[in-house]
Amino acid sequence: MDWKSNMTHWLEHLPIEDPLRIELQNEPNPEGCFCKNMEFGTAGIRGRMGPGINRMNIYTVRKATAGLAKYMMEQGHDAIKRGVVIAHDCRHLSQEFAMESAKILGMYGIRSFLFKDLRPTPVLSFAVRYLSAYSGIMITASHNPPDYNGLKVYGPDGAQLPPKTADRIADIIQTVEFECLLEPPHEKELQQQGFITYIGKQIDNAYLDSLTAIRLNKKVQKDLRIVFTPLHGTAMHHVRKGLNAAGFYNVTLVKEQIYPDPNFPTVELPNPEEHAVFELAIQYGEEADADILLATDPDADRLGVAVKNSSGEYVVLTGNQLGALMLHYLLKQKSLPRNGAIIKTIVTSELGRAITSDFSVRTLDTLTGFKFIAEKIDEFERTGEFKFLFGYEESCGYLIADFVRDKDAIQSVVFVADMAAYYKKQGKSLYDGLMDLFEKYGYFQESVQSLKLEGKEGSDQIARIMDAFRMDPPSQTLVLEDYLARESIHVPSGTKAPIDLPKANVLKFKFADDSWFCIRPSGTESKCKFYFGVKGKSIADSRGKLSKLEKEVMEKVESLTGYMGAGK
């Protein structure tokens, strides 16, 4: 049906008293609400809240959950018996969406273990494993704007769904009856029948106990001065408990940002990758003469860090830089197994590989997305070929210990504090530590640019970009990695080698001077992302190389799309 027919059909079945009717009357873009069904992918569903089949509301949540329930029924009695853990963050309607999910599962005879209060994403991942549940649901839109929400689904290992499982659930969702006709039983009825069980402190305590494995430097330098902000999100309780248990009490909180608030009033975007979110934390840091500033995103799976540079000014480390520091510290302090391995994504800095080679540790690459890192960890457990040591990605996501199977900002906070205390004991800051790494391994610099190209025209433009670069790579390309064809092409000779990763519409271009760039259409938004990496002989040299590479690539993108400013 076209969007108008979809809207008419929806309104015919929507309860008269439903507030979504009023929202729809004031909706400036009804076509966007009804032009298509929300797509279920490896991150579940995510989008703007509002009325319609292409928005987050109780009906689209019910339909997605019904798809999961039917999938679990396909898997048999054991899956149904083990049940689903459900948690939510502080966003608008998150608690209501969590309850709707539990009620739909109960309607299909599947038990839910429901956190009554908000929880961070890594605690949900931990709870799935701790309770041996078959699945997990996290209601969150991570670091997206305030009008967004989402439903992420986790598998029995506590990781986000792999593509094959997500595809099967997506197919099942298409067979689910019309979302407005799904009418689950009442919460109290399901409680009495044992289909909803509330959980909380026991899981929290078990998770916090597990954090003791994170610390490598047991001799705490208690005068380490920390400023922390959860950016109006879920991390406050677990971060404070974790830091205190590790002996870090000199913690200043950014008072304007410590309480959960779905509007995120003090920041434009609650994303610790964005330097602007540290504005208030820097003010607090200057007052407290803090050694380190820490910021977690709303669902506490990403961590951003700012430290003082050689001039005494706070600078925000990139995800790549912090990941390299964490990796080097871990390898230097830890007793390493003979088959140790770290896992990073294909768009993460090559500085990590340079570090691991110095310690005879293997570096393995995955596609972008922490679910692929979690898949590798599971593979390590099954085969015993490698021992997991560390996993990270450039977008501020890190995992130190695998009792969680998603990126974990709470683990990372404790680990980074431990690392900063270690450096302080040597009379150094983390910035000094980063400069040491650059001096030893080379001056690596990376950046990301993103183009938002919405609608059919945007999709056509993204396809045009991919086709043009695939057919006509830059003249200096040594190796072209085409993840759609799953082959690595040595461009000068034309020889090909297979890539042992899942198929994805991603291109990576490698040059002889260790520079590279990667083009990846986003899987969750109408965006195309461009990742750049270089290695130089100095900071100035690497910055110059990075700027030149960005300019060359983005000017070509501008010529293909007519998007003015793409090459600036």
Side-chain angles (χ1 to χ4, degrees), residues 344-362:
K344 72 176 190 66
T345 67
I346 60 173
V347 298
T348 301
S349 173
E350 289 300 304
L351 177 54
R353 198 183 311 277
I355 292 170
T356 56
S357 65
D358 210 19
F359 289 86
S360 299
V361 167
R362 183 79 174 271

Side-chain angles (χ1 to χ4, degrees), residues 126-191:
F126 175 84
V128 172
R129 297 174 59 79
Y130 184 83
L131 295 172
S132 296
Y134 191 80
S135 184
I137 292 175
M138 182 71 200
I139 305 295
T140 179
S142 188
H143 55 284
N144 283 94
D147 59 336
Y148 275 65
N149 213 330
L151 180 151
K152 288 197 291 190
V153 181
Y154 288 74
D157 59 348
Q160 291 184 47
L161 296 180
K164 185 176 180 181
T165 303
D167 288 346
R168 177 58 191 148
I169 294 176
D171 290 341
I172 295 173
I173 288 172
Q174 301 309 311
T175 70
V176 174
E177 64 181 303
F178 183 50
E179 58 265 19
C180 291
L181 297 179
L182 289 169
E183 296 183 5
H186 192 275
E187 168 196 353
K188 288 185 179 179
E189 179 184 342
L190 292 169
Q191 267 190 275

Side-chain angles (χ1 to χ4, degrees), residues 279-296:
E279 184 177 336
L280 280 171
I282 288 173
Q283 293 177 22
Y284 276 78
E286 289 171 345
E287 292 175 9
D289 191 25
D291 299 298
I292 189 167
L293 317 179
L294 305 171
T296 54

Side-chain angles (χ1 to χ4, degrees), residues 430-491:
L430 290 187
Y431 184 85
D432 296 326
L434 180 63
M435 293 304 108
D436 289 345
L437 294 184
F438 283 162
E439 183 68 25
K440 183 171 184 178
Y441 298 106
Y443 289 82
F444 289 79
Q445 294 282 338
E446 298 82 25
S447 66
V448 184
Q449 293 200 30
S450 181
L451 292 183
K452 194 160 190 176
L453 301 165
E454 295 189 278
K456 185 181 185 304
E457 182 182 356
S459 297
D460 291 343
Q461 287 178 322
I462 291 174
R464 191 156 58 246
I465 291 169
M466 300 302 289
D467 289 343
F469 277 93
R470 183 174 276 118
M471 300 302 296
D472 184 24
S475 58
Q476 66 269 45
T477 304
L478 180 64
V479 175
L480 166 58
E481 294 177 348
D482 187 338
Y483 291 87
L484 191 61
R486 298 179 71 194
E487 60 185 17
S488 176
I489 306 163
H490 184 264
V491 175

Side-chain angles (χ1 to χ4, degrees), residues 197-214:
T197 300
Y198 288 107
I199 57 174
K201 287 186 178 180
Q202 179 185 356
I203 306 295
D204 294 332
N205 292 338
Y207 172 86
L208 291 167
D209 287 344
S210 298
L211 289 180
T212 58
I214 299 302

Side-chain angles (χ1 to χ4, degrees), residues 235-309:
M236 176 58 68
H237 172 78
H238 294 83
V239 164
R240 289 188 72 179
K241 290 281 189 180
L243 286 174
N244 290 348
F248 296 102
Y249 296 100
N250 196 349
V251 180
T252 300
L253 304 175
V254 180
K255 294 180 181 178
E256 295 89 339
Q257 297 173 334
I258 60 175
Y259 296 109
D261 189 328
N263 294 313
F264 312 113
T266 66
V267 293
E268 186 173 342
L269 270 180
N271 184 357
E273 293 178 81
E274 302 291 337
H275 292 198
V277 304
F278 281 90
E279 184 177 336
L280 280 171
I282 288 173
Q283 293 177 22
Y284 276 78
E286 289 171 345
E287 292 175 9
D289 191 25
D291 299 298
I292 189 167
L293 317 179
L294 305 171
T296 54
D297 71 340
D299 67 321
D301 61 355
R302 299 175 191 240
L303 171 67
V305 172
V307 295
K308 286 183 180 179
N309 64 13

